[in-house]
Amino acid sequence: MAKLYFYYSAMNAGKSTVLLQSAYNYQERGMEALLFTPGVDTRAGTGKIASRIGLDAEAIAYDDQFNLYDYTKKLQETNSKLKCVLIDEAQFMTKEQVGQLTDIVDELNLPVLAYGLRSDFQGEPFPGSKYLLALADNLVEIKTICHCGRKATMNMRIDEKGNKVTHGEQVHIGGNESYMSVCRQHYKTA
């Protein structure tokens, strides 16, 4: 029985690395995984998933109007090797797209593994994460650490001098130059 999994964490915990490893595991066994990534994240190029340790793979870029279910269903009709759907940066999905993931699981009987941030730089849930937390069959936390050694659970946006940013748009694509993963205590006291 297929399930919807949500793997979540703060930034820099290795979510994309785990996703790419999962894709490789399917490929190694003669099966295929369908990879999706949001078109808004172009750090590695449009339609590409890349990890900080150098792994990468091509993926289907989607926007908030893209129908994940329709695309997957059409591909499944012509590709019997398709056995899994993997979503990178799942926090950027819409409520409707998370619903489409549940349809992929329930109607197409394909497992879906979604990877993303639980919350933004202000501690607020992203839309995709909010609905994945509510609808996923399995929730899996991928852990990373704060500079103090405690578990990092917060994504602190920083400016060019390393100071905490408290206001701005929810979506700001960036890496270590824009964000730090910190524990709640250091998030509150920064």
Side-chain angles (χ1 to χ4, degrees):
M1 181 170 148
K3 292 184 179 181
L4 173 57
Y5 299 84
F6 181 38
Y7 293 85
Y8 66 91
S9 72
M11 292 188 71
N12 298 327
K15 294 177 298 298
S16 295
T17 302
V18 174
L19 180 152
L20 293 167
Q21 179 66 50
S22 295
Y24 178 80
N25 290 345
Y26 277 92
Q27 179 185 12
E28 188 176 47
R29 289 162 182 81
M31 298 179 266
E32 292 181 19
L34 175 57
L35 282 63
F36 287 109
T37 189
V40 68
D41 185 355
T42 59
R43 290 175 291 172
T46 302
K48 190 166 210 164
I49 298 172
S51 71
R52 291 177 296 121
I53 64 169
L55 303 173
D56 62 41
E58 296 299 317
I60 303 302
Y62 68 90
D63 62 18
D64 60 357
Q65 301 301 309
F66 191 91
N67 189 307
L68 300 159
Y69 174 81
D70 287 347
Y71 187 94
T72 304
K73 182 177 181 190
K74 188 170 189 171
L75 184 62
Q76 186 187 42
E77 290 169 356
T78 61
N79 185 350
S80 63
K81 290 186 175 190
L82 179 61
K83 300 298 179 188
C84 184
V85 176
L86 304 172
I87 313 285
D88 195 37
E89 304 293 353
Q91 70 270 9
F92 296 131
M93 290 188 304
T94 65
K95 176 182 180 180
E96 293 75 21
Q97 287 170 324
V98 173
Q100 293 163 15
L101 297 183
T102 66
D103 292 339
I104 292 168
V105 170
D106 298 339
E107 296 176 24
L108 303 181
N109 198 33
L110 289 173
V112 175
L113 288 67
Y115 298 80
L117 300 175
R118 182 175 64 175
S119 60
D120 68 13
F121 77 106
Q122 293 177 319
E124 295 293 328
F126 282 98
S129 303
K130 177 177 157 181
Y131 292 104
L132 282 163
L133 287 166
L135 297 173
D137 299 300
N138 286 69
L139 302 172
V140 181
E141 182 179 24
I142 300 174
K143 296 175 179 73
T144 190
I145 57 170
C146 179
H147 59 84
C148 70
R150 290 187 190 111
K151 181 173 77 167
T153 58
M154 307 300 291
N155 303 302
M156 186 169 69
R157 189 179 291 171
I158 56 173
D159 64 18
E160 61 279 347
K161 294 180 183 176
N163 299 311
K164 181 179 180 180
V165 174
T166 59
H167 294 84
E169 294 293 320
Q170 184 179 45
V171 176
H172 170 81
I173 304 299
N176 293 342
E177 79 289 346
S178 299
Y179 294 96
M180 288 178 57
S181 300
V182 294
C183 66
R184 185 177 57 241
Q185 180 182 9
H186 281 107
Y187 177 81
K188 292 191 309 188
T189 60

